[in-house]
Amino acid sequence: MSRSVLVTGGNRGIGLAVARRLSAGGDRVAVTYRSGPRPAGLYSVACDVADPHAVDGAFDEVEAAHGPVEVVVASAGVTRDKLVVRMDEQDFTSVIDTNLTGTYRVVRRAARHLMGTGRGRVVIISSTAALSGVSGQVNYAASKAGLIGLARSLARELAPRGVTVNVVAPGLTDTAMSAALSPRQRDRIVGQVPLGRMAEPDEVAAAVEFLASPAASYITGAIVPVDGGMGMGH
Ligand code: NDP
């Protein structure tokens, strides 16, 4: 079964690993890119999720190329880490606007068609930061915690139509986002991970692939940690 899939932030990092997996499984996958590269072999559409018109335009383009979107994976995200005393309003609102409001824009645009499919899938990438909090990430952790409330509310709204909505909460994962941390910061986080290392993007993608699959038809509103055990007990 080939489905029309849209992965936001699918041009690199975790989103790209998800796109590659779903594409290898036979889906018609489109990825968004904003500033970064367009990956070879995948259908790419320009989209800044902070711009509502760009989100609508990207969906129009993907629908014309692949048909209405049946699987949405929201992976676009940014950090702007600062201690709260130095975090100005723009640092806070810009992260919320991309990570949380951006995801709202995407799922809102997708929802009408998803409801008609009877088997649609939404997978949202949150973070362990949503549950544990992280010093220097008041903005990011708030956005990622907000995604859990968004996902669970959406899960209830779409459940009567057979659409599932789930959250994947990765721990530290080896991408450009984690590369921005200092080696000391990375070592400190990895020191708290029972499995003793970062995740590979494909390990996060494997959980997303499962939640997006027909096999996960009775799972909705779940938070699936992919964190090497770091969040155990939260
Ligand atoms: P990367 O920095 O490697 O990739 C971020 C992706 O988000 C890029 O594709 C980027 O597009 C896209 N993006 C950022 N802002 C926008 C925007 N306004 N509109 C559209 N796309 C945008 O990060 P990761 O792959 O690591 O992160 C993916 C998701 O996983 C994020 O939501 C992140 O918060 C989450 N996460 C990551 C963890 C980690 O340790 N890496 C841990 C837990 C969660 P472009 O290239 O065009 O800029």
Side-chain angles (χ1 to χ4, degrees), residues 69-168:
V69 175
E70 300 164 86
V71 178
V72 177
V73 179
S75 188
V78 290
T79 51
R80 206 150 155 174
D81 296 358
K82 284 176 188 173
L83 295 175
V84 74
V85 289
R86 298 201 192 108
M87 186 180 286
D88 65 25
E89 192 142 330
Q90 169 72 9
D91 295 325
F92 187 84
T93 56
S94 64
V95 170
I96 298 286
D97 194 39
T98 296
N99 298 3
L100 179 58
T101 316
T103 300
Y104 148 77
R105 293 181 185 107
V106 168
V107 298
R108 178 174 181 273
R109 175 61 176 77
R112 196 173 300 278
H113 178 76
L114 285 174
M115 286 193 282
T117 61
R119 58 169 197 201
R121 294 278 185 271
V122 178
V123 183
I124 292 174
I125 309 299
S126 176
S127 166
T128 49
L131 300 170
S132 63
V134 176
S135 174
Q137 292 197 321
V138 160
N139 49 2
Y140 180 78
S143 73
K144 293 296 182 177
L147 286 174
I148 294 172
L150 180 156
R152 288 187 156 162
S153 303
L154 189 66
R156 290 183 188 280
E157 286 188 23
L158 301 188
R161 306 301 187 101
V163 178
T164 67
V165 182
N166 289 291
V167 172
V168 169

Side-chain angles (χ1 to χ4, degrees), residues 4 30 43 56-69 109-110 113:
S4 171
Y43 186 85
D56 285 345
F59 269 87
D60 292 346
E61 208 178 317
V62 173
E63 284 167 353
H66 290 167
V69 175
R109 175 61 176 77
H113 178 76

